[in-house]
Amino acid sequence: RIHRTPKTQSFTFAQIGGLFRGRGKIIHCQISPAFGRRFKGKFIMFNGHLVIKDDQGPETISLRWFNLYPNQKKQLEAMSEIEFLGTVQDYRAQKQIVNPQIIAPESHLTDYLIEYPTINKVSGNYTKKYIEQIPNQLWDNISPTLPQIDYEHVLKLSEAFKILHGRYPVENFSPDLKSKAEERLAYEEFLQDQLKILTRRKYIKRKDATKFVVPEKILKKYLTELPFALTDDQTKVLHEIIEDLGSGHPMMRMIQGDVGCGKTIVAFIVARIISEQGKQVALMCPTEALAQQHYKSFQELIEKFELKIKIGLLLGSTKAKEKKEILKNLINGEIHLLIGTHSLFQDSVQFQNLGLAIIDEQHKFGVEQRLKLVAKGSGAHCLIMTATPIPRTLSLAHYGDLDMSFIRTMPAGRKGIKTRITEVVNYDKYLQFVATRLSQGEQAYFVFPAIEESETTDLKNVKESIDKYKKLFPQFKVEMLHGQMKADEKEAVLELFYQKKIHILVSTSVIEVGINNPNATIMSIYHPERFGLSSLHQLRGRVGRGEKPGFCFLVLDRELSPEAKERLKVIENSTDGFIIAE
């Protein structure tokens, strides 16, 4: 952040939220140890509070510091007068400045006040100290990325940097110029991002990859063995993938499809093609729950079709002995398909001949992670899946190096999901509806945004709500699930839920992906205004997955602003993830 430095003024001119520079006499000084704070365990840190009387009038202002070093404590205690600079706040009807800059009498304060953020534990003051040592000629010699640009309408890169680092003539500085400098750097960052994406795309398309040819009769055999017909979209996407696999260049394709559109069966068919042609497949997921779900569904399909494909599951929680066995079987080629989480990135995970890397929920991983996994096989292909449809402009900006495939149609037989915003006035009716569905043998998710009660928010939370719903539904089994539970505890709760021994699962958004219980038909989301639209859509996709219709309730406990209500109406009125994404 950069501001023009104000001149020293009377305290009457100190505006709440504004930058203020003042001078006065210290009439109160209290410096005490910061409870529980030590610097790297070596010495105690301090908190300081000074009350300053204005040099130019009767007004006073409070100055507060947190986590002072012992030498800073001594400096403050030795002072009788002080000149200071900082942003004014209102605290209990008293003007105060937190962590103000002290201006020493001999200080040559520049015409700008510049504040750098702390990044990776490197303090802003440390950054500032080094940037101030850069000579002016180096700022002038920052070379432009685009030499042909029209500099009448766009700032030069060197000028933008000088403006934002306080090296610009103060008489020409203005908030408008600062905004233009920020826009120029944002444009530069975006441009470089696009150049990287295009370079990566050209590089990938130039490389050689293993060719996988799929004769039409083999593909027909795979499809006729399925207990259902693929949708037109699924068939089209499958043919796009097969064309990529036979091109001789690495496939980098993303399948975008809504929750429950049938991406997994497409991924399974592709994994089968690769495995049956003697190469290995890796499937990476962002959570253990999703990895376990894929492992279960792939194992069922392998057994159903009596395939000779050996499958492995590698998680962060996998025991050392079991992990050692999996890694041995992977390197000697006995495991044909390995499903796992981030653990697949580890250097110890080596394949005999990786032919395809499948990445589920791509937005949870970075580009480097994607490329690192693909690099574990020479000439390997990559298939990416996401159940969070991305707006077209965003997908071009973020995933311009990928070819895109879309599955928009849903498989036949889905009963769909009805969504309702439930306000306080309808709460009793909603509870009666839930009780009726549970009595018919169905199950429900109650999702909350917080685990425990917090001082800073009045959100209902999982731990508080579990007791409430046990009392409201005494005839049903109510259990809790959240991210702070150990992996085996989560697994045990989910297993009971799948066995229908738990009727209501009170949870955080940990169930957003990877949970598949066709018997669960009710999704109640409390404080829905605290979730993003894609999260709400993902959570809703946990129900209506079987032959029974799903019901999603967005449960409010207060009146929302018109804007927040409008957001929720997007979810209430549409079940199309592509429309919601736009």
Side-chain angles (χ1 to χ4, degrees):
R1 294 192 301 170
I2 177 169
H3 314 273
R4 252 185 98 166
T5 310
K7 304 296 179 197
T8 307
Q9 288 182 304
S10 163
F11 291 6
T12 52
F13 292 103
Q15 300 291 317
I16 304 300
L19 191 66
F20 180 73
R21 180 175 172 185
R23 188 188 298 115
K25 188 176 180 184
I26 299 170
I27 58 173
H28 171 79
C29 175
Q30 181 187 348
I31 300 177
S32 51
F35 180 71
R37 290 305 302 266
R38 281 179 170 271
F39 178 74
K40 295 184 179 176
K42 293 177 185 173
F43 52 77
I44 296 170
M45 311 285 279
F46 296 88
N47 293 337
H49 176 215
L50 304 188
V51 178
I52 315 299
K53 184 187 170 296
D54 191 359
D55 261 2
Q56 304 176 36
E59 290 83 7
T60 61
I61 198 164
S62 282
L63 306 181
R64 289 183 187 274
W65 286 266
F66 296 98
N67 301 321
L68 291 164
Y69 293 106
N71 63 326
Q72 292 173 308
K73 171 183 178 278
K74 281 181 188 171
Q75 182 192 5
L76 289 176
E77 286 174 336
M79 297 172 82
S80 57
E81 293 185 339
I82 187 169
E83 187 174 335
F84 56 88
L85 175 67
T87 304
V88 183
Q89 299 175 354
D90 180 22
Y91 180 70
R92 295 180 178 171
Q94 163 77 42
K95 289 175 183 173
Q96 77 163 17
I97 297 176
V98 175
N99 294 332
Q101 183 179 334
I102 299 171
I103 301 164
E106 71 282 2
S107 162
H108 301 290
L109 186 69
T110 64
D111 293 314
Y112 297 105
L113 172 70
I114 298 173
E115 297 169 286
Y116 292 97
T118 295
I119 296 174
N120 292 339
K121 297 183 181 176
V122 177
S123 80
N125 288 336
Y126 201 78
T127 306
K128 185 176 181 179
K129 188 173 81 174
Y130 279 92
I131 285 180
E132 282 174 349
Q133 293 176 29
I134 298 172
N136 277 335
Q137 66 266 30
L138 287 185
W139 292 101
D140 290 325
N141 289 334
I142 295 172
S143 52
T145 316
L146 296 172
Q148 305 302 321
I149 205 162
D150 176 7
Y151 288 116
E152 275 186 41
H153 302 98
V154 179
L155 286 171
K156 287 183 179 175
L157 198 57
S158 57
E159 279 195 355
F161 276 114
K162 281 160 71 178
I163 289 162
L164 294 176
H165 291 279
R167 297 300 182 98
Y168 204 69
V170 70
E171 61 274 9
N172 297 338
F173 183 82
S174 68
D176 182 51
L177 196 62
K178 176 176 173 264
S179 297
K180 281 184 176 175
E182 286 169 346
E183 279 178 18
R184 178 68 182 90
L185 294 190
Y187 175 80
E188 188 71 20
E189 193 175 324
F190 185 74
L191 173 73
Q192 290 193 16
D193 231 29
Q194 288 297 292
L195 292 173
K196 283 177 198 169
I197 285 169
L198 292 170
T199 306
R200 195 158 58 231
R201 185 183 179 91
K202 281 179 79 173
Y203 173 71
I204 288 162
K205 293 292 180 193
R206 215 170 46 230
K207 286 174 77 177
D208 292 328
T210 310
K211 270 190 184 184
F212 292 95
V213 179
V214 187
E216 195 59 43
K217 65 175 185 180
I218 296 290
L219 182 61
K220 197 173 179 182
K221 174 180 176 285
Y222 289 168
L223 298 182
T224 50
E225 284 177 354
L226 295 174
F228 48 78
L230 293 186
T231 63
D232 290 347
D233 278 1
Q234 284 173 311
T235 307
K236 179 172 172 283
V237 168
L238 189 55
H239 279 103
E240 286 171 350
I241 292 167
I242 288 169
E243 194 176 321
D244 285 352
L245 294 175
S247 70
H249 300 291
M251 170 174 71
M252 277 282 176
R253 183 168 291 278
M254 176 189 271
I255 305 176
Q256 283 194 55
D258 227 331
V259 182
C261 71
K263 295 183 299 299
T264 307
I265 195 67
V266 172
F268 174 76
I269 294 166
V270 178
R272 183 179 176 183
I273 289 167
I274 303 297
S275 301
E276 292 191 347
Q277 293 198 28
K279 291 276 187 173
Q280 291 168 303
V281 178
L283 168 53
M284 187 173 67
C285 313
T287 65
E288 294 203 353
L290 186 55
Q292 284 162 339
Q293 183 194 312
H294 278 315
Y295 178 76
K296 193 176 166 191
S297 17
F298 274 47
Q299 190 67 54
E300 284 170 4
L301 288 164
I302 287 166
E303 286 168 9
K304 187 182 183 86
F305 300 141
E306 298 177 357
L307 304 178
K308 292 175 182 173
I309 295 174
K310 189 171 179 190
I311 186 170
L313 179 65
L314 185 63
L315 309 171
S317 60
T318 303
K319 291 187 171 66
K321 188 181 174 185
E322 196 184 334
K323 183 179 176 182
K324 194 176 176 184
E325 185 67 18
I326 289 169
L327 296 179
K328 188 185 88 175
N329 290 337
L330 194 64
I331 195 81
N332 66 25
E334 281 183 44
I335 289 179
H336 309 109
L337 168 59
L338 181 65
I339 296 175
T341 52
H342 289 77
S343 47
L344 298 192
F345 291 130
Q346 293 169 1
D347 293 336
S348 58
V349 179
Q350 293 182 3
F351 295 81
Q352 188 187 70
N353 48 12
L354 181 67
L356 172 68
I358 304 173
I359 300 172
D360 201 2
E361 295 301 326
Q362 157 65 29
H363 60 284
K364 306 274 184 182
F365 298 102
V367 172
E368 291 78 10
Q369 292 174 311
R370 181 215 309 170
L371 297 176
K372 190 175 178 183
L373 181 62
V374 177
K376 286 180 181 279
S378 175
H381 297 272
C382 184
L383 181 65
I384 292 154
M385 303 191 291
T386 178
T388 308
I390 304 157
R392 187 172 178 275
T393 49
L394 201 62
S395 64
L396 289 171
H398 275 277
Y399 303 115
D401 57 330
L402 303 176
D403 296 308
M404 296 285 179
S405 291
F406 302 93
I407 302 179
R408 288 189 165 89
T409 50
M410 286 290 170
R414 291 284 168 102
K415 299 294 182 187
I417 308 166
K418 289 177 182 168
T419 307
R420 290 287 175 270
I421 295 172
T422 305
E423 305 198 46
V424 178
V425 67
N426 297 321
Y427 190 66
D428 288 340
K429 276 188 189 174
Y430 147 73
L431 289 178
Q432 285 168 15
F433 180 84
V434 172
T436 303
R437 304 302 298 199
L438 294 177
S439 64
Q440 292 172 10
E442 296 171 18
Q443 292 163 282
Y445 302 98
F446 287 5
V447 178
F448 294 84
I451 296 171
E452 293 174 315
E453 196 165 7
S454 158
E455 292 173 19
T456 57
T457 168
D458 57 352
L459 296 181
K460 285 186 173 60
N461 59 81
V462 172
K463 288 185 177 175
E464 181 193 78
S465 301
I466 190 98
D467 298 325
K468 176 183 171 182
Y469 290 109
K470 279 179 178 175
K471 286 172 190 168
L472 278 171
F473 298 99
Q475 70 276 42
F476 299 110
K477 178 79 172 162
V478 183
E479 273 302 336
M480 174 170 67
L481 184 76
H482 57 77
Q484 288 181 10
M485 291 165 70
K486 290 178 182 167
D488 53 348
E489 290 174 337
K490 281 193 273 192
E491 209 173 312
V493 169
L494 284 172
E495 194 50 44
L496 289 171
F497 188 58
Y498 293 143
Q499 291 171 10
K500 304 180 189 176
K501 290 176 183 174
I502 293 171
H503 303 99
I504 299 175
L505 194 60
V506 180
S507 171
T508 57
S509 58
V510 71
I511 62 153
E512 188 179 317
V513 291
I515 310 297
N516 184 25
N517 181 2
N519 192 55
T521 58
I522 292 167
M523 170 61 69
S524 295
I525 305 169
Y526 292 77
H527 294 282
E529 73 278 9
R530 297 288 175 138
F531 293 89
L533 288 185
S534 73
S535 284
L536 291 173
H537 182 59
Q538 282 275 8
L539 287 166
R540 173 172 61 184
R542 299 303 103 208
V543 296
R545 298 173 78 87
E547 294 173 2
K548 299 172 184 175
F551 302 91
C552 178
F553 297 99
L554 308 174
V555 186
L556 308 180
D557 69 344
R558 72 194 75 184
E559 188 57 40
L560 297 183
S561 68
E563 292 85 357
K565 202 87 168 276
E566 205 57 43
R567 280 181 73 253
L568 295 183
K569 281 190 173 167
V570 172
I571 293 287
E572 187 180 47
N573 297 332
S574 176
T575 54
D576 185 330
F578 288 93
I579 290 171
I580 292 163
E582 292 296 342

CSV table of all heavy atoms in Angstrom, one decimal, residues 453-488:
chain,number,residue,atom,x,y,z
A,453,GLU,N,-18.4,-23.4,18.4
A,453,GLU,CA,-18.9,-22.1,18.5
A,453,GLU,C,-17.7,-21.1,18.6
A,453,GLU,O,-16.7,-21.4,19.1
A,453,GLU,CB,-19.7,-22.0,19.9
A,453,GLU,CG,-20.5,-20.7,19.9
A,453,GLU,CD,-21.6,-20.8,21.0
A,453,GLU,OE1,-21.6,-21.7,21.8
A,453,GLU,OE2,-22.4,-19.8,21.0
A,454,SER,N,-17.9,-20.0,18.0
A,454,SER,CA,-16.8,-19.0,17.9
A,454,SER,C,-17.2,-17.7,18.5
A,454,SER,O,-18.4,-17.3,18.4
A,454,SER,CB,-16.4,-18.8,16.5
A,454,SER,OG,-15.7,-17.6,16.3
A,455,GLU,N,-16.3,-16.9,19.1
A,455,GLU,CA,-16.6,-15.6,19.7
A,455,GLU,C,-16.9,-14.6,18.6
A,455,GLU,O,-17.7,-13.7,18.8
A,455,GLU,CB,-15.4,-15.1,20.5
A,455,GLU,CG,-15.1,-15.9,21.8
A,455,GLU,CD,-13.9,-15.5,22.5
A,455,GLU,OE1,-13.4,-14.3,22.2
A,455,GLU,OE2,-13.3,-16.2,23.3
A,456,THR,N,-16.4,-14.8,17.4
A,456,THR,CA,-16.5,-13.8,16.4
A,456,THR,C,-17.7,-14.0,15.5
A,456,THR,O,-18.0,-13.2,14.7
A,456,THR,CB,-15.2,-13.8,15.5
A,456,THR,OG1,-15.1,-15.1,15.0
A,456,THR,CG2,-14.0,-13.4,16.3
A,457,THR,N,-18.4,-15.1,15.7
A,457,THR,CA,-19.5,-15.4,14.8
A,457,THR,C,-20.6,-16.1,15.6
A,457,THR,O,-20.3,-16.9,16.5
A,457,THR,CB,-19.1,-16.2,13.6
A,457,THR,OG1,-20.3,-16.7,12.9
A,457,THR,CG2,-18.3,-17.4,13.9
A,458,ASP,N,-21.9,-15.9,15.2
A,458,ASP,CA,-23.0,-16.6,15.8
A,458,ASP,C,-23.5,-17.8,15.0
A,458,ASP,O,-24.6,-18.2,15.1
A,458,ASP,CB,-24.1,-15.6,16.1
A,458,ASP,CG,-24.6,-14.9,14.8
A,458,ASP,OD1,-23.9,-15.1,13.8
A,458,ASP,OD2,-25.6,-14.2,14.9
A,459,LEU,N,-22.6,-18.3,14.1
A,459,LEU,CA,-23.0,-19.4,13.3
A,459,LEU,C,-23.4,-20.6,14.1
A,459,LEU,O,-22.7,-20.9,15.1
A,459,LEU,CB,-21.9,-19.8,12.3
A,459,LEU,CG,-21.4,-18.8,11.3
A,459,LEU,CD1,-20.3,-19.5,10.5
A,459,LEU,CD2,-22.5,-18.4,10.4
A,460,LYS,N,-24.4,-21.3,13.7
A,460,LYS,CA,-24.7,-22.6,14.4
A,460,LYS,C,-23.5,-23.5,14.0
A,460,LYS,O,-22.9,-23.4,12.9
A,460,LYS,CB,-26.0,-23.2,13.8
A,460,LYS,CG,-27.2,-22.5,14.4
A,460,LYS,CD,-28.5,-23.2,13.9
A,460,LYS,CE,-29.7,-22.7,14.6
A,460,LYS,NZ,-30.0,-21.3,14.3
A,461,ASN,N,-23.2,-24.5,14.8
A,461,ASN,CA,-22.1,-25.3,14.6
A,461,ASN,C,-22.4,-26.8,14.8
A,461,ASN,O,-23.4,-27.1,15.4
A,461,ASN,CB,-20.9,-24.8,15.4
A,461,ASN,CG,-21.2,-24.9,16.9
A,461,ASN,OD1,-21.2,-26.0,17.5
A,461,ASN,ND2,-21.7,-23.8,17.5
A,462,VAL,N,-21.5,-27.6,14.3
A,462,VAL,CA,-21.7,-29.0,14.3
A,462,VAL,C,-21.9,-29.6,15.7
A,462,VAL,O,-22.8,-30.3,16.1
A,462,VAL,CB,-20.6,-29.8,13.5
A,462,VAL,CG1,-20.7,-31.3,13.7
A,462,VAL,CG2,-20.6,-29.4,12.1
A,463,LYS,N,-20.9,-29.2,16.6
A,463,LYS,CA,-20.9,-29.8,18.0
A,463,LYS,C,-22.1,-29.4,18.8
A,463,LYS,O,-22.6,-30.1,19.6
A,463,LYS,CB,-19.6,-29.4,18.7
A,463,LYS,CG,-18.4,-30.2,18.1
A,463,LYS,CD,-17.1,-29.9,18.8
A,463,LYS,CE,-16.0,-30.8,18.3
A,463,LYS,NZ,-14.7,-30.5,18.9
A,464,GLU,N,-22.5,-28.1,18.6
A,464,GLU,CA,-23.7,-27.6,19.3
A,464,GLU,C,-25.0,-28.3,18.8
A,464,GLU,O,-25.9,-28.6,19.5
A,464,GLU,CB,-23.8,-26.1,19.2
A,464,GLU,CG,-24.9,-25.5,19.9
A,464,GLU,CD,-25.1,-24.0,19.5
A,464,GLU,OE1,-25.7,-23.8,18.4
A,464,GLU,OE2,-24.7,-23.1,20.2
A,465,SER,N,-25.0,-28.4,17.4
A,465,SER,CA,-26.3,-28.9,16.8
A,465,SER,C,-26.5,-30.4,17.0
A,465,SER,O,-27.7,-30.8,16.9
A,465,SER,CB,-26.2,-28.6,15.3
A,465,SER,OG,-26.0,-27.2,15.1
A,466,ILE,N,-25.5,-31.1,17.2
A,466,ILE,CA,-25.7,-32.6,17.3
A,466,ILE,C,-26.6,-32.9,18.4
A,466,ILE,O,-27.6,-33.7,18.3
A,466,ILE,CB,-24.3,-33.3,17.4
A,466,ILE,CG1,-24.5,-34.8,17.3
A,466,ILE,CG2,-23.6,-33.0,18.7
A,466,ILE,CD1,-24.2,-35.4,16.0
A,467,ASP,N,-26.5,-32.2,19.6
A,467,ASP,CA,-27.4,-32.5,20.7
A,467,ASP,C,-28.8,-32.0,20.4
A,467,ASP,O,-29.8,-32.7,20.8
A,467,ASP,CB,-26.8,-31.7,22.0
A,467,ASP,CG,-25.4,-32.2,22.4
A,467,ASP,OD1,-25.2,-33.4,22.2
A,467,ASP,OD2,-24.6,-31.4,22.8
A,468,LYS,N,-28.9,-30.9,19.8
A,468,LYS,CA,-30.2,-30.3,19.4
A,468,LYS,C,-31.0,-31.3,18.6
A,468,LYS,O,-32.2,-31.6,18.8
A,468,LYS,CB,-30.0,-29.0,18.7
A,468,LYS,CG,-31.3,-28.4,18.2
A,468,LYS,CD,-31.1,-27.1,17.4
A,468,LYS,CE,-32.3,-26.6,16.7
A,468,LYS,NZ,-32.1,-25.4,15.9
A,469,TYR,N,-30.3,-31.9,17.5
A,469,TYR,CA,-31.1,-32.8,16.6
A,469,TYR,C,-31.3,-34.2,17.2
A,469,TYR,O,-32.2,-34.9,16.8
A,469,TYR,CB,-30.4,-32.8,15.3
A,469,TYR,CG,-30.5,-31.5,14.6
A,469,TYR,CD1,-29.5,-30.6,14.4
A,469,TYR,CD2,-31.8,-31.1,14.1
A,469,TYR,CE1,-29.6,-29.4,13.8
A,469,TYR,CE2,-32.0,-29.9,13.5
A,469,TYR,CZ,-30.9,-29.0,13.4
A,469,TYR,OH,-31.1,-27.8,12.8
A,470,LYS,N,-30.5,-34.5,18.2
A,470,LYS,CA,-30.8,-35.8,18.9
A,470,LYS,C,-32.1,-35.7,19.7
A,470,LYS,O,-32.9,-36.6,19.8
A,470,LYS,CB,-29.6,-36.1,19.8
A,470,LYS,CG,-28.4,-36.8,19.1
A,470,LYS,CD,-27.3,-37.1,20.1
A,470,LYS,CE,-26.2,-37.8,19.3
A,470,LYS,NZ,-25.0,-38.1,20.1
A,471,LYS,N,-32.3,-34.4,20.2
A,471,LYS,CA,-33.6,-34.2,21.0
A,471,LYS,C,-34.8,-34.1,20.0
A,471,LYS,O,-35.9,-34.5,20.3
A,471,LYS,CB,-33.4,-32.9,21.8
A,471,LYS,CG,-32.6,-33.1,23.0
A,471,LYS,CD,-32.3,-31.8,23.7
A,471,LYS,CE,-31.2,-32.0,24.8
A,471,LYS,NZ,-30.7,-30.7,25.3
A,472,LEU,N,-34.5,-33.4,18.9
A,472,LEU,CA,-35.6,-33.2,17.9
A,472,LEU,C,-36.0,-34.5,17.2
A,472,LEU,O,-37.2,-34.7,16.8
A,472,LEU,CB,-35.2,-32.2,16.8
A,472,LEU,CG,-35.3,-30.7,17.2
A,472,LEU,CD1,-34.6,-29.8,16.2
A,472,LEU,CD2,-36.8,-30.3,17.4
A,473,PHE,N,-35.1,-35.4,17.0
A,473,PHE,CA,-35.3,-36.7,16.3
A,473,PHE,C,-34.9,-37.8,17.2
A,473,PHE,O,-34.0,-38.6,16.9
A,473,PHE,CB,-34.6,-36.7,15.0
A,473,PHE,CG,-35.0,-35.7,14.0
A,473,PHE,CD1,-34.2,-34.5,13.9
A,473,PHE,CD2,-36.1,-35.8,13.2
A,473,PHE,CE1,-34.5,-33.5,13.0
A,473,PHE,CE2,-36.5,-34.8,12.3
A,473,PHE,CZ,-35.7,-33.7,12.2
A,474,PRO,N,-35.6,-38.0,18.4
A,474,PRO,CA,-35.2,-39.0,19.3
A,474,PRO,C,-35.3,-40.5,18.8
A,474,PRO,O,-34.5,-41.3,19.2
A,474,PRO,CB,-36.1,-38.8,20.5
A,474,PRO,CG,-37.3,-38.1,20.0
A,474,PRO,CD,-36.8,-37.3,18.8
A,475,GLN,N,-36.2,-40.7,17.8
A,475,GLN,CA,-36.3,-42.0,17.3
A,475,GLN,C,-35.3,-42.4,16.2
A,475,GLN,O,-35.3,-43.5,15.7
A,475,GLN,CB,-37.8,-42.2,16.7
A,475,GLN,CG,-38.1,-41.5,15.5
A,475,GLN,CD,-38.5,-40.0,15.7
A,475,GLN,OE1,-37.9,-39.3,16.5
A,475,GLN,NE2,-39.5,-39.6,14.9
A,476,PHE,N,-34.4,-41.4,15.9
A,476,PHE,CA,-33.5,-41.7,14.8
A,476,PHE,C,-32.0,-41.5,15.3
A,476,PHE,O,-31.8,-40.8,16.3
A,476,PHE,CB,-33.7,-40.7,13.6
A,476,PHE,CG,-35.0,-40.9,13.0
A,476,PHE,CD1,-36.0,-39.9,13.1
A,476,PHE,CD2,-35.3,-42.0,12.3
A,476,PHE,CE1,-37.2,-40.0,12.5
A,476,PHE,CE2,-36.6,-42.2,11.7
A,476,PHE,CZ,-37.5,-41.2,11.8
A,477,LYS,N,-31.1,-42.2,14.7
A,477,LYS,CA,-29.7,-42.2,15.1
A,477,LYS,C,-29.0,-41.0,14.4
A,477,LYS,O,-29.0,-40.8,13.2
A,477,LYS,CB,-29.0,-43.5,14.7
A,477,LYS,CG,-27.5,-43.5,15.0
A,477,LYS,CD,-27.2,-43.8,16.4
A,477,LYS,CE,-25.7,-44.1,16.6
A,477,LYS,NZ,-25.3,-44.0,18.0
A,478,VAL,N,-28.4,-40.0,15.2
A,478,VAL,CA,-27.8,-38.8,14.7
A,478,VAL,C,-26.3,-38.9,15.0
A,478,VAL,O,-26.0,-39.1,16.2
A,478,VAL,CB,-28.4,-37.6,15.3
A,478,VAL,CG1,-27.8,-36.3,14.7
A,478,VAL,CG2,-30.0,-37.6,15.1
A,479,GLU,N,-25.4,-38.7,14.0
A,479,GLU,CA,-24.0,-38.7,14.3
A,479,GLU,C,-23.3,-37.5,13.6
A,479,GLU,O,-23.9,-36.9,12.8
A,479,GLU,CB,-23.4,-40.0,13.8
A,479,GLU,CG,-23.4,-41.2,14.8
A,479,GLU,CD,-22.7,-40.9,16.1
A,479,GLU,OE1,-21.8,-40.0,16.2
A,479,GLU,OE2,-23.1,-41.5,17.1
A,480,MET,N,-22.1,-37.3,14.0
A,480,MET,CA,-21.3,-36.1,13.6
A,480,MET,C,-20.1,-36.5,12.7
A,480,MET,O,-19.5,-37.6,12.9
A,480,MET,CB,-20.8,-35.4,14.9
A,480,MET,CG,-19.9,-34.3,14.7
A,480,MET,SD,-19.6,-33.4,16.3
A,480,MET,CE,-18.7,-34.6,17.2
A,481,LEU,N,-19.8,-35.7,11.7
A,481,LEU,CA,-18.6,-35.9,10.9
A,481,LEU,C,-18.0,-34.5,10.6
A,481,LEU,O,-18.7,-33.6,10.2
A,481,LEU,CB,-19.1,-36.5,9.6
A,481,LEU,CG,-17.9,-36.9,8.6
A,481,LEU,CD1,-17.2,-38.1,9.1
A,481,LEU,CD2,-18.5,-37.2,7.2
A,482,HIS,N,-16.7,-34.4,10.8
A,482,HIS,CA,-16.0,-33.1,10.4
A,482,HIS,C,-14.5,-33.4,10.2
A,482,HIS,O,-14.0,-34.5,10.5
A,482,HIS,CB,-16.2,-32.1,11.5
A,482,HIS,CG,-15.7,-32.5,12.9
A,482,HIS,ND1,-14.3,-32.5,13.2
A,482,HIS,CD2,-16.3,-32.9,14.0
A,482,HIS,CE1,-14.2,-32.9,14.5
A,482,HIS,NE2,-15.4,-33.2,15.0
A,483,GLY,N,-13.9,-32.4,9.6
A,483,GLY,CA,-12.5,-32.6,9.1
A,483,GLY,C,-11.4,-32.8,10.2
A,483,GLY,O,-10.3,-33.2,9.9
A,484,GLN,N,-11.8,-32.4,11.4
A,484,GLN,CA,-10.8,-32.6,12.5
A,484,GLN,C,-10.8,-34.0,13.1
A,484,GLN,O,-9.9,-34.3,14.0
A,484,GLN,CB,-11.0,-31.5,13.6
A,484,GLN,CG,-10.7,-30.1,13.2
A,484,GLN,CD,-10.9,-29.1,14.3
A,484,GLN,OE1,-11.2,-29.4,15.4
A,484,GLN,NE2,-10.8,-27.8,13.9
A,485,MET,N,-11.7,-34.8,12.7
A,485,MET,CA,-11.7,-36.2,13.2
A,485,MET,C,-10.6,-37.0,12.5
A,485,MET,O,-10.2,-36.6,11.4
A,485,MET,CB,-13.1,-36.8,12.8
A,485,MET,CG,-14.2,-36.3,13.6
A,485,MET,SD,-15.8,-36.7,12.9
A,485,MET,CE,-15.9,-38.5,13.3
A,486,LYS,N,-10.1,-38.0,13.2
A,486,LYS,CA,-9.0,-38.9,12.6
A,486,LYS,C,-9.6,-39.7,11.4
A,486,LYS,O,-10.8,-39.9,11.4
A,486,LYS,CB,-8.5,-39.8,13.7
A,486,LYS,CG,-7.7,-39.1,14.7
A,486,LYS,CD,-7.2,-40.0,15.8
A,486,LYS,CE,-6.4,-39.2,16.9
A,486,LYS,NZ,-6.2,-40.0,18.1
A,487,ALA,N,-8.8,-40.1,10.5
A,487,ALA,CA,-9.2,-40.8,9.3
A,487,ALA,C,-10.0,-42.0,9.6
A,487,ALA,O,-11.1,-42.2,9.0
A,487,ALA,CB,-8.0,-41.1,8.4
A,488,ASP,N,-9.6,-42.8,10.6
A,488,ASP,CA,-10.3,-44.0,10.9
A,488,ASP,C,-11.7,-43.7,11.6
A,488,ASP,O,-12.6,-44.5,11.4
A,488,ASP,CB,-9.5,-45.0,11.8
A,488,ASP,CG,-8.9,-44.3,13.1
A,488,ASP,OD1,-9.0,-43.1,13.1
A,488,ASP,OD2,-8.4,-45.0,14.0
